[in-house]
Amino acid sequence: MRSTEYAYLDDDGVVYLDYAGAGLAATAQLRAHRDRLTERCFGNPHSENPTSKAATEVVEQARRAVLAHLNADPEEYCAIFTANASAACRLVGEAYPFARGSRFVVSSDNHNSVIGIREFARARGAQVAHLPIDTPELRITDSAVHAALPPHLGVGRPDRARRGLLAYPAQSNFTGVQHPLEWVRVAHENGYDVLLDAAAYLPTNELDLRIVQPDFIPISWYKLFGYPTGVGCLVARRDALARLRRPWFAGGTIAAVSLQGDWHVMTDDETAFEDGTPNFLSIPDVTFGIGWLRDIGLEVVHRRVACLTGWLLDRLQSLTHDNGAPMVRIYGPPDATRRGGTVAFNFLDPDGVVVDERLVATESAAVGISLRTGCFCNPGAGEGAFGIELPVLRRLFRKRLATVEEYVSALGLPSGGAIRVSFGLVSNIADVETFLRFAESAYRNRPATVEGLQPRERC
């Protein structure tokens, strides 16, 4: 399959190790998009004319495909198309009924797009609490979850009495840690809605919404199968969605409106959350992509990625300098137990000094290797990886720092981030071997240096 549907990889000498950033598209996906647009005419779906109905038909087909992929009951869940997972998170944050006395509980191991919901919560007087990362493997303990979500006498009260929202990732985009899906049930029993970030989890794992029943699930489809970009999803429980109150309305979201009368009525279904015209020429590509992934077999992809991840972890931990010092420091689980295909680490020089991630970014790119460096939009996991504690951060907040370089220096960090290698649908043994050869040839017995590196412009 790699040599036919993904031939551009080996034809161009690409070593792609950034599946946590984006999946890759098969030639068949692009061909299906072209064929659909050349064989039929589609128009704006907000009408009753033939081309509008054609667009509505393929968009609704995609909704059904999304729910079927997650084994979600259409009577219980709905699919809302967004620009990406970040936009899905914003939809929840801006409309969730945060108020004084309610809480937003967010895991420290979360993408910025989820952490950013706290700004909506704070603006409405809700309390914000963090689930700490407090284990060597950068996991969050069950006891921390139970402490943050204490039981209360209101369990079993109507849904409108929810105490707040818990948000956490099914899989960390920094370390690959897979957090327990059981926390969804714990949160519900203690009166909380749950936003489960599935963006990093779904490319290689099944999520069955008849078993695990979070209230909100943000998804980016390009992370599952590369194409289309610019189309994400918020899968939501209908009863939880009914509690949201949007702060504005737009074209496509309303059943009726009056300018002079100063009133409006939102639609009574998921379209109330789809602002303007949906991306009706690309949304059908989600249907094809889901079918493509399922035809290959998600279990096959999962098993392959798990094997490659375990092998990379073993090999990285076996790398040493001539003096016996380790070449690599891994952040997160050292083996493939309860983790996904994402590995974060730094190279070390013979004296144990961290090799600057900017140097690795430059030198790996020069030999055609695509990987990720930095903090990966996950500041909590980064703070946990580098042992940055709250008292240090509080002292730092009193200073006026203008650049990332000043921030890194003030914290006394050895580097501005880590290196992230991640596997996916068409990763193979040659990708791993090529990267390991590069690592040994470039950094074995080599002293760390920061000379000639460009300043960091952002995290």
Side-chain angles (χ1 to χ4, degrees):
M1 186 178 65
R2 175 160 168 154
S3 66
T4 55
E5 293 292 340
Y6 302 86
Y8 54 80
L9 285 172
D10 298 325
D11 289 350
D12 294 339
V14 175
V15 179
Y16 190 78
L17 298 171
D18 191 25
Y19 286 87
L24 296 178
T27 302
Q29 292 173 256
L30 308 180
R31 189 165 53 245
H33 177 86
R34 180 201 62 198
D35 292 347
R36 187 178 66 255
L37 297 189
T38 55
E39 293 171 0
R40 193 173 183 185
C41 183
F42 299 94
N44 190 311
H46 294 153
S47 185
E48 292 298 317
N49 64 60
T51 54
S52 177
K53 287 186 174 181
T56 298
E57 177 186 331
V58 292
V59 169
E60 294 307 314
Q61 182 182 11
R63 290 193 209 280
R64 293 191 295 271
V66 169
L67 297 181
H69 182 63
L70 300 175
N71 195 27
D73 182 351
E75 295 295 318
E76 188 173 5
Y77 282 94
C78 62
I80 299 163
F81 287 110
T82 63
N84 44 44
S86 297
C89 293
R90 178 182 56 78
L91 278 180
V92 176
E94 70 180 7
Y96 194 81
F98 291 117
R100 294 190 181 279
S102 67
R103 304 176 75 229
F104 177 51
V105 180
V106 58
S107 79
S108 296
D109 183 8
N110 252 322
H111 192 279
N112 277 334
S113 298
V114 178
I115 296 173
I117 294 174
R118 74 184 185 189
E119 303 306 310
F120 292 112
R122 283 177 175 161
R124 296 176 203 143
Q127 179 189 4
V128 177
H130 299 114
L131 297 175
I133 297 173
D134 58 2
T135 69
E137 294 188 356
L138 301 184
R139 298 186 187 275
I140 295 168
T141 63
D142 289 340
S143 59
V145 174
H146 285 279
L149 305 173
H152 70 116
L153 298 178
V155 172
R157 290 158 54 187
D159 283 336
R160 65 177 180 274
R162 287 292 193 194
R163 302 177 71 192
L165 179 67
L166 166 68
Y168 76 97
Q171 179 174 310
S172 171
N173 73 300
F174 191 112
T175 62
V177 163
Q178 291 182 342
H179 299 293
L181 300 179
E182 171 67 12
W183 293 349
V184 175
R185 181 190 59 79
V186 172
H188 284 166
E189 289 179 350
N190 291 297
Y192 287 82
D193 291 314
V194 179
L195 183 148
L196 181 71
D197 179 7
Y201 183 82
L202 285 176
T204 58
N205 298 275
E206 295 272 8
L207 180 62
D208 189 332
L209 295 186
R210 293 181 188 264
I211 297 175
V212 181
Q213 298 187 314
D215 301 279
F216 308 103
I217 308 101
I219 303 168
S220 276
W221 295 111
Y222 73 92
K223 294 200 174 184
L224 273 74
F225 33 74
Y227 185 83
T229 57
V231 178
C233 211
L234 175 66
V235 175
R237 287 175 62 108
R238 293 186 184 276
D239 59 354
L241 199 65
R243 293 195 292 276
L244 303 189
R245 293 293 179 266
R246 301 212 64 191
W248 81 310
F249 63 88
T253 65
I254 53 173
V257 61
S258 171
L259 173 63
Q260 296 182 72
D262 194 25
W263 58 267
H264 70 277
V265 178
M266 303 295 285
T267 61
D268 61 359
D269 60 14
E270 58 268 30
T271 61
F273 292 83
E274 291 178 341
D275 302 327
T277 303
N279 190 347
F280 61 91
L281 294 184
S282 292
I283 286 173
D285 294 311
V286 173
T287 306
F288 188 92
I290 288 173
W292 179 256
L293 183 58
R294 297 199 74 82
D295 284 347
I296 294 167
L298 201 51
E299 176 55 34
V300 172
V301 177
H302 173 88
R303 186 164 61 250
R304 184 178 188 82
V305 167
C307 290
L308 291 173
T309 303
W311 186 37
L312 176 66
L313 287 165
D314 288 345
R315 292 287 298 276
L316 286 176
Q317 291 172 93
S318 72
L319 296 178
T320 59
H321 298 285
D322 282 354
N323 64 0
M327 283 181 58
V328 173
R329 176 182 298 152
I330 293 172
Y331 304 113
D335 57 35
T337 304
R338 291 191 298 128
R339 60 127 66 240
T342 298
V343 180
F345 60 95
N346 279 123
F347 289 115
L348 306 175
D349 81 354
D351 295 323
V353 177
V354 171
V355 176
D356 196 289
E357 88 284 354
R358 292 170 295 175
L359 182 67
V360 179
T362 300
E363 295 184 343
S364 61
V367 296
I369 296 175
S370 292
L371 47 75
R372 189 65 65 93
T373 60
C375 67
F376 322 126
C377 297
N378 190 326
E383 290 164 1
F386 286 102
I388 305 170
E389 298 182 351
L390 185 57
V392 175
L393 291 170
R394 282 177 172 161
R395 289 196 301 270
L396 188 62
F397 294 157
R398 301 189 187 104
K399 301 180 180 180
R400 292 188 175 182
L401 303 177
T403 67
V404 174
E405 288 297 319
E406 291 178 0
Y407 181 76
V408 171
S409 177
L411 286 172
L413 294 178
S415 184
I419 301 150
R420 186 181 73 185
V421 166
S422 51
F423 300 116
L425 181 62
V426 285
S427 297
N428 66 10
I429 292 171
D431 294 332
V432 182
E433 288 287 8
T434 300
F435 173 72
L436 290 168
R437 285 196 300 270
F438 159 75
E440 288 198 90
S441 64
Y443 305 112
R444 190 164 184 264
N445 300 324
R446 178 179 171 182
T449 179
V450 294
E451 295 180 4
L453 297 176
Q454 295 295 317
R456 299 177 182 87
E457 297 181 355
R458 63 175 68 184
C459 174

